Amino acid sequence: MTESVVPSNGQSANGAVNHQTLKAEARGLSFFYGEKAALREVNLPVYAYRATALIGPSGCGKSTLLRCFNRMHDLYPNHRYAGEIRLYPENINLLAPETDPIAARMRIGMVFQKPNPFPKSVFENIAYGLRLRGLRDKNEIRERVERALQDAALWDEVKDRLGDSAYALSGGQQQRLCIARALATEPELLLFDEPTSALDPLATASIEALIGRLKSQVTSLIVTHNLQQAGRVAEFTAFMYLGELVEFGPTEVVFNAPSQKRTEDYLAGRFG
Amino acid sequence: MTDQSQLALRIRRAKQLERGFLLLAWLLLTSLAAVFVGLFAGLFQAGWERLQLDFFLTFASRHAARAGILAAWVGTFVVMTVTAAVAVPLGIAAGIYLEEYARPNRLTTLIEINIVNLAGVPSIVYGLLALGLFARLLGFGASVLTAGLTLGLLILPIVIVATREAIRTVPNAIREASYAVGATRWQTVWGQVLPAALPGTLTGVILGLSRAIGETAPIVTIGAVTFIAFLPPAPLSADFPFLSFDWVWSPFTALPIVTFDWTSRPNADFRANAAAAALTLTALTAVMNGVAAWLRYRLRRRQQWQ
Ligand SMILES: Nc1ncnc2c1ncn2[C@@H]1O[C@H](COP(=O)(O)OP(=O)(O)O)[C@@H](O)[C@H]1O
Ligand SMILES: [Mg+2]
């Protein structure tokens, strides 16, 4: 039943798509800031244990779409969702009124564009999410903090300064700390909003490598401004334009043989 | 063309204007500082002889040379304790509510306008309110409790405004980060927003208390005594539950009150006492403001978020 995805807008029905398991799926998803529609009828499958990239010119609605998945928009007034986002394997609708956004965020992590550690110690940044989940045992918390930092390839750099303020870390380290903070809570789906746009090339490379390694643990949905990055990290790519999802498919198909003229123009650098 | 010379003239005028402004500002600030130094020096000259340990450890007396401020500084201290106990939790709670919970509607606007207005109400009006409500209607009399409640209300707007401003400096990115790991609003406020806003909030609390500590009018109005030869009962007791709150019902006097009382005596010897008490009060206020400034400095250094 989770296989029943029709690639959005009917195109690029590449065989590779069909025998994947779905982790989540936007169906007919529209989103409004006040009266203004920022997303129109978006259909997007998110395959389990794969990375899916969202690309498109700035202002096309990538962040807006991403933030629907963990109901981030709920924090601000005057928003409206229409359509659904299914989360599998339970096949629940994340946008349904009976779905508690907090329960959803317990399962769906997020990494933001600008590193946003808490103004606390490195350790506390990660322990916070664990305590929210009811963990009290000090040893267990310490173990899971260490594991998360190791998974985020940050442990060796910070193991002697767990008590230091997170702001004492470099930008790239802060972003890996934010990834560790999300990983510690063992999310099923991890949302990245241009996670490397504020970082230098070296830090970017280390975070891309990290996202690659994470695929055995978690499903990723990654907004990126950087087409090469999409090519490097994502199995699937969705191209968005003016609030619509124009094209979705395996990354190499979208990049090498796009079925839509607008995708081709964008990839050729003719706009955006 | 004369363009060049006109331009030069304009520049010269602008510079003259600037120099004039700087001179004026400098004169103003210097004379302000001079007034303060003069005032302080006057107090010091009049009162320094009385600033002995004895002065702080004896009660008031009809003989100027034997009178001390023990009851007054202890009174000030206990009243401030009640003031803080009232203003800190209420002010912080109100600030949190207004910043993090209240929806912007007419009622919220009305509350906000009221708080701003309350900050401008003359302190004597608080005294009158307290006399009618706490001292008489509720029967608290001229006690530590009445004074603490009154001053607590007086500085409540200061604490609320400071809390709100401190909360507003906490960037939304931190709130979003907290929600994104699954926190509720309550957990976000207590776990992230409030700790991040704490230095700013504490600054407001201290500034409020340093305002309250010198207030004279409201506590004169509620009927604080000027002459008292005993201390409020101790807050610790020998038997269960070991804590005693009898002290809140105790009559009291306070530093501004004795200062005022001694100043109005015809006997010149009491002026020295008044000056010494005023110096003590000034020093207390200066210390509190210093702590507030230090906290502000720490706050700026720690908040590297953009
Ligand atoms: N909080 C908001 N209120 C109103 N409009 C917004 C808000 N955030 C974004 N938008 C608008 O929604 C559109 C999509 O924005 P966004 O999702 O941030 O684009 P992207 O991430 O692709 O650059 C843009 O036109 C933007 O101006
Ligand atoms: Mg964006």
Side-chain angles (χ1 to χ4, degrees):
Chain A
M1 115 201 130
T2 59
E3 307 283 74
S4 67
V5 59
V6 180
S8 64
N9 307 344
Q11 79 288 126
S12 73
N14 185 295
V17 173
N18 285 325
H19 55 262
Q20 306 269 356
T21 318
L22 275 175
K23 182 64 217 172
E25 182 185 23
R27 283 196 204 151
L29 173 66
S30 299
F31 183 82
F32 303 84
Y33 291 111
E35 292 300 304
K36 186 178 162 249
L39 297 176
R40 283 192 208 85
E41 295 283 326
V42 168
N43 295 301
L44 172 73
V46 180
Y47 292 103
Y49 301 109
R50 297 289 180 276
T52 302
L54 292 173
I55 61 169
S58 90
C60 70
K62 305 180 296 290
S63 301
T64 304
L65 174 56
L66 196 74
R67 290 160 68 89
C68 288
F69 279 81
N70 66 347
R71 304 264 302 259
M72 246 343 169
H73 298 297
D74 288 32
L75 307 188
Y76 304 99
N78 293 325
H79 65 273
R80 186 161 68 81
Y81 305 96
E84 22 181 73
I85 295 178
R86 318 282 330 174
L87 186 68
Y88 301 107
E90 296 88 342
N91 195 6
I92 51 169
N93 177 10
L94 289 176
L95 302 180
E98 69 270 14
T99 304
D100 182 357
I102 293 162
R105 291 183 202 123
M106 288 277 182
R107 305 173 54 184
I108 302 176
M110 184 163 194
V111 176
F112 295 79
Q113 185 164 0
K114 257 190 358 201
N116 57 351
F118 300 125
K120 301 199 163 176
S121 70
V122 171
F123 185 89
E124 281 306 316
N125 260 275
I126 298 171
Y128 181 64
L130 301 175
R131 296 211 179 94
L132 290 179
R133 282 159 180 75
L135 246 68
R136 288 287 170 271
D137 184 77
K138 287 221 171 85
N139 287 323
E140 195 183 349
I141 291 180
R142 204 172 307 128
E143 270 165 32
R144 286 188 54 177
V145 168
E146 174 173 349
R147 195 165 356 123
L149 285 168
Q150 252 152 6
D151 288 345
L154 188 59
W155 175 251
D156 291 332
E157 289 158 68
V158 300
K159 63 171 182 257
D160 300 321
R161 43 202 288 219
L162 294 176
D164 288 9
S165 162
Y167 291 136
L169 303 181
S170 73
Q173 289 173 326
Q174 287 186 17
Q175 193 64 313
R176 274 178 286 153
L177 179 65
C178 292
I179 296 177
R181 177 173 72 193
L183 287 178
T185 64
E186 300 183 341
E188 300 161 40
L189 174 61
L190 200 42
L191 310 169
F192 294 87
D193 192 350
E194 306 199 26
T196 60
S197 68
L199 305 182
D200 63 61
L202 219 63
T204 300
S206 96
I207 287 186
E208 283 180 9
L210 170 59
I211 294 171
R213 280 199 306 280
L214 291 176
K215 277 176 199 161
S216 58
Q217 303 175 29
V218 61
T219 305
S220 304
L221 185 56
I222 304 168
V223 172
T224 175
H225 211 75
N226 177 331
L227 296 178
Q228 285 81 28
Q229 183 165 71
R232 283 190 297 261
V233 303
E235 284 82 10
F236 297 95
T237 295
F239 171 62
M240 295 182 66
Y241 186 63
L242 295 180
E244 289 179 23
L245 198 140
V246 174
E247 179 152 3
F248 171 83
T251 301
E252 65 279 5
V253 175
V254 173
F255 274 56
N256 299 325
S259 65
Q260 300 285 309
K261 179 83 170 56
R262 276 178 298 179
T263 315
E264 199 182 322
D265 287 349
Y266 178 70
L267 292 171
R270 284 195 271 275
F271 68 89
Chain B
M1 292 287 285
T2 57
D3 265 11
Q4 284 299 325
S5 59
Q6 261 180 5
L7 207 60
L9 191 69
R10 278 172 153 276
I11 293 174
R12 203 164 346 115
R13 271 208 208 117
K15 282 187 176 166
Q16 274 168 355
L17 206 66
E18 184 179 38
R19 231 173 292 144
F21 167 78
L22 289 180
L23 187 70
L24 199 73
W26 185 84
L27 276 176
L28 215 71
L29 289 174
T30 319
S31 39
L32 213 68
V35 167
F36 182 75
V37 169
L39 215 68
F40 202 71
L43 276 182
F44 203 75
Q45 201 203 1
W48 72 275
E49 277 183 334
R50 299 291 293 124
L51 288 175
Q52 316 279 328
L53 195 59
D54 263 3
F55 185 64
F56 298 98
L57 295 183
T58 50
F59 289 107
S61 160
R62 269 178 292 129
H63 305 284
R66 262 188 266 148
I69 56 168
L70 177 62
W73 73 256
V74 173
T76 286
F77 182 78
V78 292
V79 168
M80 281 306 118
T81 307
V82 177
T83 304
V86 172
V88 172
L90 283 183
I92 292 180
I96 290 174
Y97 173 78
L98 288 171
E99 277 310 304
E100 298 285 323
Y101 284 89
R103 287 167 186 278
N105 56 27
R106 281 218 206 115
L107 183 67
T108 310
T109 314
L110 195 75
I111 294 173
E112 287 176 342
I113 291 174
N114 262 305
I115 290 170
V116 173
N117 285 339
L118 278 179
V121 171
S123 59
I124 185 94
V125 176
Y126 282 92
L128 292 172
L129 167 95
L131 182 66
L133 181 65
F134 302 134
R136 302 227 172 112
L137 193 67
L138 297 177
F140 296 165
S143 62
V144 168
L145 183 63
T146 302
L149 288 171
T150 314
L151 296 179
L153 285 187
L154 179 79
I155 66 167
L156 198 56
I158 300 175
V159 178
I160 294 176
V161 169
T163 304
R164 295 188 66 182
E165 267 162 19
I167 286 179
R168 241 176 279 152
T169 64
V170 179
N172 262 343
I174 285 173
R175 291 184 185 83
E176 291 194 354
S178 174
Y179 286 111
V181 286
T184 62
R185 186 185 298 224
W186 179 257
Q187 290 164 330
T188 300
V189 167
W190 286 98
Q192 302 299 341
V193 177
L194 202 58
L198 205 58
T201 306
L202 282 180
T203 305
V205 167
I206 293 171
L207 288 180
L209 288 177
S210 77
R211 156 99 196 268
I213 205 172
E215 276 296 342
T216 320
I219 45 179
V220 167
T221 315
I222 62 171
V225 289
T226 52
F227 188 96
I228 195 168
F230 58 88
L231 295 179
L236 294 172
S237 64
D239 22 67
F240 193 79
F242 307 115
L243 273 180
S244 155
F245 286 97
D246 288 345
W247 54 274
V248 305
W249 305 109
S250 170
F252 72 99
T253 189
L255 281 170
I257 305 242
V258 297
T259 310
F260 178 64
D261 177 53
W262 280 336
T263 315
S264 51
R265 301 259 182 117
N267 184 344
D269 290 348
F270 277 109
R271 306 260 163 76
N273 288 359
L279 271 177
T280 311
L281 192 57
T282 311
L284 273 177
T285 317
V287 167
M288 289 169 90
N289 285 331
V291 171
W294 178 74
L295 277 174
R296 250 197 320 275
Y297 165 77
R298 291 249 339 224
L299 164 87
R300 285 218 190 98
R301 248 191 9 176
R302 243 186 39 184
Q303 279 183 357
Q304 289 172 7
W305 58 58
Q306 296 108 30

